[in-house]
Amino acid sequence: MNRARCDETAAWRQLQERFRTHGAAFDLRQAFAGDAGRFARFGQQAPHVFADLSKNLVDAGIEDLLLALARETGVEAYRDAMFAGERINHTENRAVKHWLLRAPRDAADPDSVAVHETLDAMLAFAEGVRADAQITDVVNIGIGGSDLGPQMVVAALEASNRTGKRFHFVSNIDGHELDAVLQRLRPEGTLFLVASKTFTTLETMTNARSARAWFGQQGGRDVARHFAALTTNVEAAREFGITTTFGFWDWVGGRYSLWSAIGLPIAIAIGAEGFRELLAGAHAMDTHFRTEPLARNLPVRLGLLDVWYRDFHGFGSRSIAPYHGALRRLPAYLQQLEMESNGKSVDAQGRPVGFGTSPVLWGEPGTNGQHAYFQMLHQGTDRVPVEFIAVKQPSHALPGHHDLLLANALAQAQALMQGKADPGGHRNFAGNRPSTFFLLDALTPAALGALVALYEHRVFTSGAVWGIDSFDQWGVELGKVLATDLAKRLASGDVQGLDASTAGLVQRLRGR
Ligand code: F6P
């Protein structure tokens, strides 16, 4: 597909000019003063998610140019190619079809039958586990997309988990992590889920082997009952000795896989009905992304804002501030989604890009962040766009708390924008610091599904404008190869050919 390179388009040049003449000096307070309709123009209801974009450094003119940039770089055609099942992940020659996992049965798509057969089987299994009082602990062994998605969602929907079962997520190769979990388990009460798209990942295979050894040492016998594998590589799982397997397909990227068999811990936690609601919420957002005109297409508007901030304002990071404790793993989940997808520096043709791509994402739930790093957000030398995520209805009944929580989210966004003049200096807040405010009615499976899909498509949009492959992750490979070599060197002490720093550290570590 021929896509114009963003920095060679007319819209890019016009945006540069706009930034030079208006953008750098853009003042949010003046923008509100000059436009009574600003909240309506930049507020948008999408499925399950309301977004207030009005506290961002854009006006209608800038947004029109950003929309022109999307058109010139072929965002719509590229989106349609994804939904048509074309192999848009060109460096791996793969289609990108995670959206199919949450679509209703579709006779026209040859993969839809297998998707729904697997979904039905996995949900039946999940219901069986839920009903099985002997299983008290579910341990997910996986890393990256095989950990962060299910872990984030199980935590986010903890109010919907009435199974009484405990969920554990073991990802790190650091044995402290698995050891601490094993200490609390009984083999007859435990279900291990070995989650790995490839079933080759060093961390996961090491943890899975140790878990299986522990199970045998503790007198566990029935591996078929106590281990299941979630993988595209069912054969490798069988060779490993796991016969209960749920598969998925190479067109599901690891960081887009929570909707697949990788979501089994979620299904056990919230039940089949809850899991189907999660999928339905994401599907509603898919339909929005697919059909809404660009100017009212929330993921597109957000993705374009990300380009505006990264490449014109030069903002290098974005802070995620969920004002809901159950969303505590959302920042980590979004780090992989956005930084592994868009942390690229060559375009589709392999040419170096001459502009910034993925920003750094980081954050913690509010109000904790306020008492840690919000100082820097208000008065530091860098401007960092902040993303507030608030939920109208709490899922607890403690009086007073929720209004105070919401008031704090509103106050931070207001303070960032308005600032406060203090000619004396130290108490001066410059203000004019941008933020986006997302609002969900309640933290239901459907709302969470829609929110995650919104972020997926937003990342798609900025990646499409930048002309990069958002679906590969070659940057993680070099470290994996070097670690294999260094594990051997740590054992043998051979430091020949190593740089002096690594050699020195290997020698020190061998002295332990
Ligand atoms: O190393 C990065 C990565 O490939 C991620 O993209 C992926 O989510 C993670 O490792 C885990 O991979 P797997 O599911 O194959 O074990």
Side-chain angles (χ1 to χ4, degrees), residues 143-146 196-199 201 204 254-255 336 340 473 476 480:
I143 196 164
S146 301
S196 175
K197 178 175 171 181
T198 54
F199 224 76
T201 304
T204 302
R255 51 194 174 275
Q336 188 197 14
E340 199 173 70
Q473 56 284 317
V476 301
K480 290 184 188 174

Side-chain angles (χ1 to χ4, degrees), residues 71-365:
R71 286 192 198 92
E72 282 193 69
T73 51
V75 169
E76 286 158 297
Y78 193 55
R79 173 199 63 192
D80 295 345
M82 172 173 76
F83 283 107
E86 286 176 32
R87 293 172 183 252
I88 64 165
N89 174 359
H90 53 268
T91 74
E92 296 182 304
N93 194 26
R94 287 178 182 167
V96 173
K97 291 176 69 171
H98 48 275
W99 49 270
L100 187 69
L101 300 167
R102 51 224 192 188
R105 259 170 239 274
D106 174 7
D109 191 305
D111 292 319
S112 182
V113 174
V115 163
H116 282 274
E117 274 173 8
T118 308
L119 177 63
D120 292 345
M122 163 192 149
L123 294 183
F125 180 81
E127 286 298 334
V129 175
R130 282 165 69 80
D132 186 341
Q134 283 178 335
I135 299 293
T136 53
D137 292 82
V138 177
V139 183
N140 189 79
I141 297 178
I143 196 164
S146 301
D147 166 70
L148 291 164
Q151 189 181 164
M152 181 274 286
V153 176
V154 168
L157 300 177
E158 61 199 1
S160 313
N161 168 13
R162 297 193 187 85
T163 60
K165 298 186 195 305
R166 289 176 291 266
F167 288 80
H168 313 269
F169 289 85
V170 175
S171 54
N172 204 318
I173 201 163
D174 179 350
H176 296 104
E177 198 175 290
L178 177 63
D179 187 55
V181 171
L182 292 178
Q183 306 275 352
R184 287 179 271 151
L185 301 178
R186 299 166 303 119
E188 65 280 10
T190 303
L191 172 64
F192 289 101
L193 303 175
V194 182
S196 175
K197 178 175 171 181
T198 54
F199 224 76
T200 57
T201 304
L202 181 70
E203 291 88 339
T204 302
M205 299 325 298
T206 306
N207 282 324
R209 274 191 292 273
S210 297
R212 195 183 49 187
W214 171 89
F215 182 74
Q217 285 152 11
Q218 299 292 313
R221 291 283 163 265
D222 194 350
V223 171
R225 173 169 156 71
H226 292 279
F227 283 78
L230 322 173
T231 183
T232 60
N233 192 354
V234 167
E235 213 164 286
R238 296 235 165 91
E239 269 166 37
F240 184 87
I242 300 181
T243 48
T244 310
T245 57
F246 297 95
F248 59 109
W249 304 273
D250 73 355
W251 42 259
V252 183
R255 51 194 174 275
Y256 299 88
S257 65
L258 72 87
W259 325 98
S260 72
I262 292 293
L264 181 56
I266 304 171
I268 296 173
I270 66 172
E273 203 183 321
F275 195 80
R276 287 192 191 277
E277 284 169 20
L278 179 82
L279 298 182
H283 178 65
M285 191 60 78
D286 292 340
T287 306
H288 171 92
F289 179 51
R290 210 171 169 164
T291 58
E292 282 297 316
L294 296 188
R296 295 303 289 170
N297 192 312
L298 187 56
V300 169
R301 294 178 88 184
L302 287 163
L304 293 174
L305 195 56
D306 294 337
V307 173
W308 176 236
Y309 282 163
R310 186 74 188 96
D311 297 315
F312 298 89
H313 282 274
F315 298 156
S317 89
R318 196 165 88 238
S319 186
I320 309 294
Y323 273 66
H324 196 304
L327 291 173
R328 58 191 171 273
R329 295 297 291 160
L330 186 67
Y333 171 79
L334 295 179
Q335 280 175 335
Q336 188 197 14
L337 177 63
E338 188 151 343
M339 294 164 75
E340 199 173 70
S341 295
N342 285 348
K344 312 285 164 65
S345 50
V346 291
D347 66 15
Q349 284 75 40
R351 298 175 299 175
V353 297
F355 43 81
T357 57
S358 175
V360 175
L361 261 69
W362 57 283
E364 280 285 322

